[in-house]
Amino acid sequence: MSQAHVRRPTIAPSLLAADFGRLREEVAAIETAGADWLHLDVMDGHFVPNISFGPVVLAALRKHSKLPFDVHLMITPADPYIQAFADAGADHIAIHPEAGPHPHRTLQLIRSLGKKAGVVLNPGTPPDSIAWLLDLTDIVLVMSVNPGFGGQRFLPSQLDKIAALRRMIDTAGRPIALAVDGGITPDTAPAVLRAGADTLIAGTAVFGATDYAAAIAGLRTEAAA
Ligand code: DX5
Ligand code: ZN
């Protein structure tokens, strides 16, 4: 189970830390550098205190990349925009349960469009809150910072939550990725993986590095240590 994941974690660089004046080249660079997914943070200035980009940017990049597009929606309401992100080329669409009164319905909608469905837990959101969503979930994403900005410090309080979710997923007995987002670096990644995560989302640690391949390999190597 989690030991197998620790050997080769999925690495998903977060576009939020890329040079927005050169998005196409940035995405090509991390693809060449060995990224597994591209993580795309969509922010509305309402659910979180920052604004990023929407489906038009996804559609523009989709033509130039084969990476799975892992879309993290920090918007409320989310339901009216799910179809647009699916059409724009999202492969995974993750929502915060707090973004609307019917997260179960939203996950059904994402699945009905043939996309992988994700649920995201804020640092203050308990693991049990998604127990009755797990049967519709392909990716559980633990926020290890408060959402809205890159470059924040990792919250160690989330390690116990990752471990609790690992147990819930193992009990569920079906493949559900367990991802962690926020403050992931070669220093924080090993504890995250030891707690049972299998997927690392990293913005600053990848796009802030001069050598993207070394940064991605570094997260993997440190993780395996
Ligand atoms: C924050 C986003 C993260 C962010 C991570 O709201 O969900 O994906 O880009 O950035 P780092 O890795 O710099 O903490
Ligand atoms: Zn994110």
Side-chain angles (χ1 to χ4, degrees):
M1 31 167 261
S2 52
Q3 287 308 310
H5 300 312
V6 169
R7 273 182 220 116
R8 197 188 187 282
T10 299
I11 307 289
S14 166
L15 191 69
L16 195 64
D19 177 350
F20 275 31
R22 301 171 49 254
L23 285 181
R24 178 177 170 178
E25 295 94 313
E26 291 277 68
V27 173
I30 54 116
E31 193 158 358
T32 304
D36 297 303
W37 302 348
L38 177 68
H39 184 79
L40 298 118
D41 290 300
V42 177
M43 304 179 181
D44 65 354
H46 176 61
F47 183 70
V48 290
N50 196 7
I51 300 176
S52 58
F53 50 77
V56 173
V57 171
L58 252 85
L61 292 173
R62 181 71 286 176
K63 299 186 207 103
H64 304 294
S65 177
K66 291 193 167 43
L67 287 174
F69 278 12
D70 179 56
V71 176
H72 175 188
L73 293 182
M74 287 161 273
I75 65 174
T76 181
D79 290 13
Y81 302 100
I82 300 294
Q83 179 84 52
F85 283 101
D87 291 346
D91 296 285
H92 316 153
I93 301 177
I95 53 133
H96 285 252
E98 295 89 349
H102 298 291
H104 189 278
R105 175 180 285 151
T106 310
L107 296 173
Q108 286 178 320
L109 173 60
I110 295 167
R111 285 274 191 89
S112 77
L113 297 170
K115 308 302 177 185
K116 290 194 174 178
V119 284
V120 190
L121 291 94
N122 277 329
T125 304
D128 287 355
S129 65
I130 64 162
W132 299 100
L133 300 175
L134 271 190
D135 63 321
L136 287 171
T137 299
D138 302 295
I139 301 161
V140 172
L141 200 166
V142 176
M143 290 305 304
S144 41
V145 299
N146 279 298
F149 301 94
Q152 302 181 77
R153 188 183 288 271
F154 178 81
L155 296 168
S157 61
Q158 300 306 299
L159 290 169
D160 286 350
K161 191 198 290 184
I162 296 164
L165 287 162
R166 176 80 264 156
R167 290 191 289 275
M168 286 168 66
I169 289 170
D170 287 347
T171 302
R174 32 174 299 270
I176 299 174
L178 180 51
V180 180
D181 185 7
I184 297 296
T185 67
D187 287 337
T188 58
V192 165
L193 290 156
R194 270 198 305 276
D198 50 41
T199 301
L200 301 175
I201 293 160
T204 311
V206 175
F207 284 107
T210 45
D211 182 340
Y212 295 172
I216 289 170
L219 286 172
R220 285 211 179 92
T221 308
E222 294 298 325

